[in-house]
Every structure is written in C-alpha cells, then in structure tokens.
Amino acid sequence: MTTLQNLRNEVRAKPALGIGLGLIALLALAYAYGFVNQARNNSAQAYLEDVAELQKIKLLAQQKDWPQRAKAAQALQSGLQAAIPRSDSIGLAQATQAAWLRSAILPFAPRVNVVMGQPTKVDGLAGYWKVPADINAQVNAARAVQILQRVEGTTNLMYVQSLRIVNTASPSLQMSVVAYYRIVRGAERKNGA
C-alpha cells in the first residue's frame, strides 16, 4: 500500500482527521490568497508611484530653461565654495576663526572674550566643518550693532546663531556665531582640492 492509500484509509476511519485536514487546507488557501493579494496590492502601488514619477519627469522635461538653471546652480555652488575658507586642520580653523573674530571686534570693543566651541562635521559633506564661537564684549548698543555688521559683512560663510545686546549701566554684547571651514590636508591642497 502506498502512503496516499494509507492516508485515505485513516481519513475514512477517523472523520475528525478529515475535518482537521480540510481546515488546514482552507487555512493554507486563505494564507496563499492573502499573500497573493498583498503582492498584487504592492505591485499596484509601485506602479502608481512609477506613473507619478514619470509624470513629474515629463513635466520637468517640457521646461526649456534647464541650461540656465544648471549654470545658476553651478555659479551658486562656486560662490559657496569660495565663501568657505580652507584649513589644514580643524585646530587651525578654530585658531583662524578666533583670530579673525578678535581682530574684527577689537576696534569696537577693547575688552572682548572669544570662546571657541566644539567643531562638528557638516552632515553629508565630507571635509566640511562648523566652527562655533561665543563672543562677549563690554560695549554699548551702537558699538554692538557695528560689531554685528562687521561679522555679517565677512566674505566667509558664517552666520549669527544668537545675539543679546544689553543696554544698561553696564552695556554688553553676547553673540554666538558659526563659521564653516573645509579641512584640506597638505597633499590635497597641492592637487587643487
């Protein structure tokens, strides 16, 4: 007797076994249907997303000013690159930034305190760093505005993160700035990186 014949005889002898096997078969079919249905839904969703992406591409392709946009983007990138000073190390970048801040502020505030913060890498741009600094100076509001204009007028990429001007009996300026630097090692600098 074959295994299939033995199974048939067992099912005839025990009806509960036949019902159990039937339920198992129904569950397997339901699972297979759910799997196929989910795969079909995923495929349909992917198709709709591809159609939407194709429509976007077609609309963009109809625009005629791509060469001008490419030139403008290249000019913007070149301008940003020119505004980010290069340095051989992050320590030199911090020292350069601290020296520039002191020299920029000293004509307006003879007593200035510049504290360099912890540099951080710029996400997604290898070799680029943010160099923060906190500035405290004993100056009146008019001088504080002149210092702010001097810092914002630099050609290097830098922004004022926070600013507090106190104009009381003891006027003061508290300012946090962040400058950007590109760290280029000596060999890279010689190769024009």
Side-chain angles (χ1 to χ4, degrees), residues 68-83:
Q68 293 83 3
R69 287 184 182 182
K71 287 178 185 175
Q74 189 175 16
L76 178 63
Q77 183 179 12
S78 296
L80 284 173
Q81 291 290 334

Side-chain angles (χ1 to χ4, degrees), residues 24-71:
I24 290 172
L26 281 175
L27 285 173
L29 283 173
Y31 178 76
Y33 174 77
F35 178 77
V36 168
N37 193 37
Q38 183 64 39
R40 183 182 59 81
N41 288 341
N42 290 346
S43 178
Q45 182 64 31
Y47 172 76
L48 290 175
E49 289 172 3
D50 288 346
V51 167
E53 185 69 22
L54 179 62
Q55 290 299 329
K56 283 184 194 176
I57 291 170
K58 283 181 179 179
L59 288 173
L60 288 173
Q62 292 173 357
Q63 296 178 2
K64 303 294 184 211
D65 56 350
W66 283 111
Q68 293 83 3
R69 287 184 182 182
K71 287 178 185 175

